[in-house]
Amino acid sequence: VVTTREAQIGTEVSATNADKVSEQTGYEFDNANTNNVLTTTVTADGNATLRVYFKKSSYTLTVVAGTDVEKVKIGTDENTTQLSTTVKYGESVTIDATVETIPGYTINFTKWSSSNSTLFAHNTTQNLSFTMPAGSLTLTAITTKTAKDTTYNIEYYYQQVDGTYPQNANNTAIRNGKVGNTAVLSTA
């Protein structure tokens, strides 16, 4: 972007604060860049050039292990609860979630839930590579937990004439249910 201003020959001109605000998303003024020319003098031919350098902005990416998630990863770093790192705008990043193994249940990854769905939409890809947007972001790994079908046995023991019960059941029945549910016998 070229901005033209008027100044007299021999006068000093400087970049304004507005000149140090990027017109492009994801960039910020690079104050430490030694190539910046923020003040100069207008030459005899009426020219002066100021140079303002912008660097890519850095943002915080946090991934959180939701319920029934064993661990989350950003690149090769992993943690069992949450993990944060600084990522530059436009940088490629990969995140992943490992779901827990719980006997009697099927655990399925559902989505990465975004703290800002305008900046980054919820996403259903478990091992996800994406380009960092212009803003800090928290993504939570969400799962669904489904109880598996199971069978259970009911053994019936009938008292004998002498008042004792047999060592082996007189009768058995097989019933179906879901892991985690309580089996209730009715006396009807």
Side-chain angles (χ1 to χ4, degrees):
V1 175
V2 175
T3 303
T4 303
R5 295 193 184 108
E6 291 185 21
Q8 294 199 0
I9 294 172
T11 61
E12 188 175 88
V13 291
S14 298
T16 66
N17 286 336
D19 294 327
K20 298 175 189 174
V21 176
S22 175
E23 294 178 358
Q24 293 187 28
T25 299
Y27 291 85
E28 60 191 65
F29 174 60
D30 187 356
N31 191 45
N33 191 314
T34 58
N35 294 314
N36 282 320
V37 177
L38 303 177
T39 302
T40 193
T41 302
V42 179
T43 60
D45 62 3
N47 290 318
T49 301
L50 300 173
R51 289 188 173 83
V52 182
Y53 286 80
F54 295 92
K55 63 183 177 180
K56 287 194 179 245
S57 297
S58 293
Y59 301 100
T60 300
L61 172 63
T62 302
V63 291
V64 178
T67 304
D68 300 323
V69 174
E70 182 180 321
K71 64 184 173 184
V72 288
K73 292 173 74 172
I74 300 176
T76 58
D77 296 333
E78 60 185 49
N79 195 295
T80 57
T81 55
Q82 80 175 36
L83 190 62
S84 293
T85 192
T86 301
V87 183
K88 288 183 178 179
Y89 167 72
E91 186 177 342
S92 180
V93 63
T94 300
I95 60 175
D96 195 11
T98 302
V99 298
E100 292 180 340
T101 300
I102 302 174
Y105 293 90
T106 300
I107 311 295
N108 289 311
F109 179 85
T110 304
K111 67 179 176 181
W112 289 102
S113 178
S114 175
S115 61
N116 183 340
S117 59
T118 303
L119 185 63
F120 189 88
H122 304 305
N123 194 297
T124 59
T125 304
Q126 186 171 345
N127 184 352
L128 176 64
S129 293
F130 62 95
T131 301
M132 187 66 184
S136 293
L137 190 59
T138 298
L139 298 173
T140 302
I142 304 295
T143 61
T144 54
K145 179 179 179 180
T146 307
K148 292 181 179 178
D149 291 329
T150 188
T151 58
Y152 58 93
N153 296 322
I154 301 174
E155 296 179 344
Y156 298 95
Y157 295 84
Y158 295 96
Q159 188 179 44
Q160 298 177 28
V161 174
D162 64 2
T164 63
Y165 287 91
Q167 281 193 336
N168 296 320
N170 297 94
N171 196 3
T172 60
I174 298 174
R175 300 285 190 262
N176 296 314
K178 293 270 186 198
V179 171
N181 291 350
T182 302
V184 178
L185 296 175
S186 63
T187 57

